[in-house]
Amino acid sequence: MTEASAPALQQSLFLKACRREKTDRTPIWLMRQAGRYMKEYREIRARMPFIELCKDSDLAAEVTVHAAHTLGVDAAIIFSDILMLVEPLGFELSYGKDQGPRIANPFRSSADLARVRPVQPHDSMSYVFDAVRKTRRALRENVPLIGFAGAPFTMASYVIEGGGSKNFIETKRLLYADPAAFGALLEKITTATIDYVNGQAAAGAQAIQIFDSWVGALSPDDFRRHVLPHTRRLIAGITPGVPTIYFGTQTNGLFPMLRDLGANVIGVDWRVELDAAWTALGDVAIQGNLDPVVLFGTEAEVRSQVRRVLRQAGGRPGHIFNLGHGVLPETPVENVLALIDEVKGA
């Protein structure tokens, strides 16, 4: 029996919710649950750059397990970054101190297609798979491990813009001026990502989350024509039986298409009421959707907002409690613990 098929894991609250089975209570985990709001994480980061931490499989496993066990959440997510894949693809990635990622050789035209390399994840990204294996061995037997990757559009936007962006001018310039080059880039990213996430599943991840952090920048028509086929191919390519979570922000206008992606779970942010999202998305599990900034309020308000989200879920099978985005660096730890306590006590 493999670790991924062990009864304790398969009967965990999180995986049962992914399958929209009834659970004794709502499962909870948090995006960026291992992060700078935790003292132990800050101490490790003080000793090494972020990218080195991501590539150190022992430390990546340590921070993953510490966060999951300390918080008492119902799932762990491997400590890494969606941009780890861009280096094997042929892009030069760096992280400045207290700054976001920078890509020194961005993709800007069809001429750049020749330097986008095919990826062999087991060679170039073995440190991620090592971290998954070490984490799986160290986690409690009933705590599933989530692997992850960036969605094709979000990854493409990073390598086209050369980093984060507010208006995605370069991304949309390429999409409108040379849709064939834009599509070819997404095709290469999708192929690499399928192999990457399946490698994580083979190493011991019980579920895969696809982060489409910037997809809300697109119009529904642009998403439908230029992005949806690639995202759908990615999700269809994930190992059968491994639940898939698709998460994006500001996706309300895309809900009619997201329901047909093939993902088991759709993550939604706080800009939509949870019950309204469920009505629009149909027969899928829903993950979300507390505003992360609520955690800067009083404990009483945190608990009140948790109860509001749970009321909107209405006890339907398939709700996974999470924030509408990741835990912010300055978040008070005591409020994170209060959030989890309130969900688990409901």
Side-chain angles (χ1 to χ4, degrees):
M1 179 180 293
T2 66
E3 290 168 312
S5 64
L9 280 171
Q10 291 305 313
Q11 292 305 307
S12 66
L13 295 175
F14 170 77
L15 288 178
K16 289 179 72 173
C18 288
R19 300 190 297 263
R20 289 193 292 135
E21 297 174 6
K22 186 175 178 57
T23 54
D24 294 335
R25 64 166 175 82
T26 303
I28 178 171
W29 71 279
L30 305 174
M31 289 177 278
R32 292 201 205 114
Q33 62 192 18
R36 283 180 287 171
Y37 74 103
M38 283 187 153
K39 174 177 175 289
E40 296 85 355
Y41 175 83
R42 292 195 301 272
E43 290 173 348
I44 292 173
R45 281 284 285 111
R47 305 198 307 264
M48 62 172 48
F50 174 72
I51 198 165
E52 290 185 19
L53 175 54
C54 289
K55 292 182 177 182
D56 186 316
S57 61
D58 289 324
L59 285 177
E62 179 184 326
V63 297
T64 301
V65 174
H66 173 80
H69 288 176
T70 299
L71 297 175
V73 289
D74 297 302
I77 184 165
I78 193 66
F79 183 86
S80 188
D81 189 84
I82 63 171
L83 294 184
M84 292 298 102
L85 186 60
V86 306
E87 287 185 321
L89 284 165
F91 297 94
E92 298 170 17
L93 174 67
S94 63
Y95 291 82
K97 184 174 175 58
D98 298 325
Q99 296 176 347
R102 293 289 179 268
I103 293 169
N105 56 336
F107 184 103
R108 292 292 166 82
S109 72
S110 59
D112 294 323
L113 283 169
R115 61 182 174 85
V116 181
R117 300 191 298 250
V119 177
Q120 302 295 329
H122 285 281
D123 295 329
S124 57
M125 306 193 74
S126 59
Y127 59 88
V128 176
F129 306 138
D130 289 343
V132 169
R133 282 187 283 268
K134 291 171 182 177
T135 301
R136 181 64 270 160
R137 288 195 295 267
L139 281 172
R140 296 181 184 126
E141 65 175 5
N142 64 339
V143 178
L145 176 61
I146 304 167
F148 70 89
F153 173 77
T154 290
M155 294 292 289
S157 71
Y158 270 113
V159 301
I160 295 169
E161 299 290 337
S165 177
K166 290 184 178 179
N167 297 310
F168 300 92
I169 292 172
E170 296 298 338
T171 303
K172 293 183 179 183
R173 188 200 310 274
L174 180 65
L175 186 155
Y176 298 135
D178 194 345
F182 182 84
L185 173 62
L186 265 68
E187 185 76 11
K188 290 174 179 286
I189 290 171
T190 301
T191 297
T193 305
I194 290 171
D195 291 340
Y196 178 42
V197 295
N198 285 341
Q200 292 180 61
Q206 280 68 58
I208 297 294
Q209 175 151 315
I210 303 300
F211 284 90
D212 217 351
S213 307
W214 307 132
V215 73
L218 290 173
S219 71
D221 184 62
D222 286 341
F223 178 75
R224 181 185 302 107
R225 293 169 56 205
H226 299 287
V227 174
L228 178 61
H230 302 283
T231 310
R232 187 182 285 140
R233 183 169 81 87
L234 167 57
I235 291 172
I238 294 174
T239 303
V242 177
T244 305
I245 307 166
Y246 174 85
F247 169 75
T249 60
Q250 302 185 51
T251 56
N252 308 27
L254 308 180
F255 281 173
M257 289 171 281
L258 298 189
R259 67 187 300 163
D260 298 323
L261 274 180
N264 304 93
V265 185
I266 302 293
V268 298
D269 69 16
W270 64 95
R271 297 174 179 91
V272 60
E273 301 290 339
L274 198 65
D275 47 359
W278 226 314
T279 299
L281 288 166
D283 295 332
V284 294
I286 298 280
Q287 180 174 281
N289 66 336
L290 188 69
D291 184 344
V293 181
V294 167
L295 295 174
F296 288 82
T298 64
E299 179 181 328
E301 182 62 20
V302 170
R303 292 180 180 274
S304 174
Q305 292 279 354
V306 168
R307 293 192 294 270
R308 176 186 59 80
V309 172
L310 291 172
R311 283 196 302 272
Q312 289 176 1
R316 279 176 282 197
H319 179 216
I320 300 166
F321 201 106
N322 209 311
L323 301 174
H325 211 289
V327 181
L328 295 168
E330 301 84 5
T331 302
V333 174
E334 59 271 20
N335 280 353
V336 176
L337 295 171
L339 158 67
I340 296 165
D341 179 69
E342 189 66 28
V343 173
K344 293 173 77 170

